[in-house]
Amino acid sequence: MKKKLVSCLISFTLLSSLSTPLLAKAQENTEDIKGSVVIAGGGIGTSNHEIYEKFLSLAGGKEKAKVGIIPAASTTLQSSKKFKEDLVKYGANSDSIKILPVSNHDFSDTQKDESTWKNQVNDKKLSRTIKGLTAVWFVGGDQTKIVDSLRQNNGSDSEALKAIWDIYRKGAVIGGTSAGAAIMSDVMITGGDSLGALKDSLENKENKHVSKNQRSQKEYEPLSIQKGLGFFQHGIIDQHMDERARLGRLAVAAYTSERDKEKNFAYGVDEDTAMVVNNKDQKIEVVGRSGVAVLDMSKAELVSKQKARSGLENIKVSYLSPGDKINYHLKSFEFPKERVETKGFEYYSFNALPATGVFTPYGRLKAYLSYSLVDNESMKSAKSYVYDSKGSGYEIAFQKDNDTNGYWRYTDGQKDDYSIVNVKMDITPKTFKFQPDRKTSLTYKKPTFSSSESPAYDSIKGNLLIAGGALGSSNSSVYNKFINLAGGKQAKIGIVPAASTKFDSSNQFKSDLIKYGVKAENIEILPISNHDFKGTSENESTWKTNMNSDKLAQKVKGLTGIWFVGGDQTLITGSLRNENGSDSKVLQAIWHTYKNGAVLGGTSAGAAIMSNTMLAGGDSYGALSYGFTNTYDDMNQQEGGPAYLEKGLGFFQYGLVDQHFDNKARLGRLIATAYEKGNKNQLSYGIDEDTAMVVNNKEKQIEVVGRGGITLVDLAKVQANDKFPSDYKNILISCITPGDKVNLTTKKIVINPAKTSTRKNEYYSEKVGPNTGLFSPHGVLRKFLAYDLVDNAQSKEIKSYAFNQNKGFELTFRKSAESNGYWAYTDGQKDDYSIVKVALDIKPIDVDIR
C-alpha cells in the first residue's frame, strides 16, 4: 500500500465556538532569536532548488550545514530519508545529516520499534546532538505527533525541544513542510476544511467532536486546533493552501483564536512554496513556485445574516509571490522593482464568471483574483461559493477596495506572475437549490462553421510537439524533446511570430533554444505576419505578401523544425492562408518540410492551429449555454462566451486540440465542439499549460511531456438529448500525465509502468461534497477526479456545478466499468495520478440562491 503524507483527521482540541479561550503562548521571550524559519506548504519537489538552497544557506552553507531531521509526523521513515537524499543532492555532507530519534509511535517500514523513542526526548545525549546542529527539519504527516513527541505529558517542553529552542535562539534555522509547517505557530491547526470551519464556527449548532470514522461519513470537517511549538510568533500558519483551498478555515481560525489579530497577519502557504522568516529583520520572503496567502483580520466583523447563521465581513486578502517580502512587524509588503502595478493599467477587460467549480476559468484563488478581478478593468467584484450536497453553504464575495492593487511580471520565460494586495472578502451564509431545467431561456446556436478536410497524409515522416501554453524556460523535457525531434543541436529552426503583437515571445524562445544548445546562427525568426509589431521601426504588416514569397518558401523547405509562438491563433492562419482560403506558398512549404521529417511545434495559439477545426474563442459555460458564434471579438471572445471556430492548419490529423486546458477550464467547450464538429470515433485532446503532446505520426501515438497533463474526451458512447442542448450522458474522460501514451487510431491508453492501479486499492475512504469553487479542495479537474473519485473507496460519483445567476449545469462524474486510477510519486514525494475512463453526465439546471 502506498504511503502518503496526509494531515490528521482526528481532532485533539476542537474550536467549538467564537468564545473559545486563547491557547497559551508557547514561548514568550522571542526578541533575542537570531535564527530563521523556513515554513513550506507541503509538496516540495526535489527539483525546487530555491527552497533547498535557501535552507542550506541559512544552515551555514553546504559544507558547514549540520542538519537534524525529525521524522515524528510520518508513519514511515521514507520522507525523512528522501529529504536527506535531496539535501545531499544539493551539496550537503551526508555524514552531517542525521535523522533524529524523535517519535511517539512505531514506523511501518523498519524492523525496530520506534515508539520507545518517546522516552528519549529527555536524554542528554540527544540534547547534545541537537545542540551541535545548525538546522532542524520537520517532515510532513500528522502535526499532533510532532507536538506529542516533543512535549511531556504535563505540556512542558522536553529537553530535546529546549535544545532546539536553544540553537534557534543562537542562529540555527528551523524548517518544516506540511505538518512540519503547521507546528510553527502557537495556534496550530490540526484539522478541518473551509466549509467545515465556516459551518461549525459561524452556525450556532451543537459542538461536534468528530472522530476519524465520523469524518468519513461527513462531507466536511470542522476546524480543530491545539497548541503548536511557536517558533513563529507573529500569526497563524496554514499549509497546502491552494491545493486544499484552506482560505476559509484560516480566516475562521484567525478570527476566533488570535488574541492580537489586529497586530498580526495570518498566513497560508501554498504547496512547493515556503515563507522564509528572518527574525532579525522582522521580514518574510516568499520562495518557491506558487505563493503565500496573507489575511488581515484587523477589521473583520461577525455579522448575523440568517437565523442561527452568521458571516464574516471586511477581511483583507493578499497573495504574495516568490521574491516578495512581508514586513510582519509593520504589516507591509515589498515587491521586486521589475513588478508592474496593475491599478489603472489593467491588461484584461472581460466579464468574468463567478467561480463555481471545475468549469471555472482561472479556478484557483490566486489566478482567479489576478485575471478575473485585480488585472481586469471590467470587474469591480467577483463571487465564489461553497456548500454541501444539501445546499447549505456560503457566498464568498471579493471586491476591489481603495487600497487594492496587483503587481505583475513574467517569470520562468513568459509565464504571468501576479502578486495581489488588499482584496476585500465577505463571507455570507446562503442556501442553494438546483433543479432540472425544463424549459431553458438560453438561446443555443448550432455552429454554422464548415471546414473542408485537410488532405490526409499517410506517409508523414515528421512529428508534432503541441504545447498547452505558459511553457516555462526551465521546462527542459519539452525543449529537449523539440530539439531532438528537429535533429539535435545542429537543428535548423524557424520561428513564426505571427500570433503575437510583439517580438518578445519569439526572442525568448530563440534565447531558450540557444540555452539548450542550438546554435544561434541556425535559428531564424521568420518574416511571417499580417500585422505590425509594437516596439519596432519596421511596419511588419507589409510581411503579409511574404506568404507567397518563393525565396521564403525555399528557406522553409531547408528547416528541420518550425515553431509557432502564442498569442491570437487567427493571426497565424491569416498570415499563411490566401484571402480565398487556399494555402499560401509558405504554408505549402511548411507542409513539405513536415511530410519529409521536420518537427512542427507551437504553444498556446501555436497549438490551437494544429487541428483542422480550430477552437479560437469561448469558454466552457458559454459553449454549453449559448453554443457557437460567427463573430470574433479578440480578448472578450478568447476569455469567455460562446465558442468560435475557424479552419486550422490541420497538421494534427486525429481529432480536436484545445490548450490552456487546466488554467482556463476548457473541458465544456471541447465537449461541445467535439459533439457538434468532431469525429466521434476519435478522441479530443485538452493540453494543460507547461505541458506538451508529442505526436509520432509513424507510430500513430502520442506521449505526454512536461509538468501537467492531457485530458482525453471520448464521445463514442455519448447519449445526447436532441430536444435540449448540452444534455449529455456517458462522456468518457481520461487524464494522462508525463510518461503515459495513447494510440491515435485504437485509442488505447498505455500508462507509465511506474504507476500502480488504485482500483480496489483506494487510499482514501471519505464522503465528499460537490466541488463548488475557490473554497473547494482539488480545484483542477485531474486532481478532483483523482482524490475525490478514483482513489476514494466511498465515492461512486462526484458532482460539480457551472452556473451564472439562475442558469447552469450539473456535472456528475461517475466510476464506469472501465474506470481506473494510476498513482506514483513524482519529483520527490508529490502525488501523480492518471485517470482512465471516468463517465461524465452534464445536465442543464435552474439555480436558486437565497
Side-chain angles (χ1 to χ4, degrees), residues 33 65 132 200 295 302-303 356 412 438 496 674 705 758:
I33 295 175
D200 190 59
L295 289 183
L302 183 71
V303 181
T356 59
D412 192 15
R438 303 298 185 187
V496 178
V705 177
T758 64

Side-chain angles (χ1 to χ4, degrees), residues 169-201:
R169 291 182 186 280
K170 293 177 179 177
V173 57
I174 309 298
T177 183
S178 187
I183 55 99
M184 294 293 180
S185 50
D186 275 318
V187 175
M188 181 178 74
I189 301 175
T190 60
D193 53 38
S194 286
L195 179 58
L198 291 167
K199 290 180 72 65
D200 190 59
S201 298

Side-chain angles (χ1 to χ4, degrees), residues 440 720-725 727:
T440 184
N721 184 347
D722 293 334
K723 296 180 180 179
F724 212 107
D727 187 347

Side-chain angles (χ1 to χ4, degrees), residues 705-727:
V705 177
R707 292 173 173 152
I710 296 176
T711 300
L712 310 174
V713 176
D714 188 346
L715 298 183
K717 298 179 180 179
V718 71
Q719 300 171 23
N721 184 347
D722 293 334
K723 296 180 180 179
F724 212 107
S726 302
D727 187 347

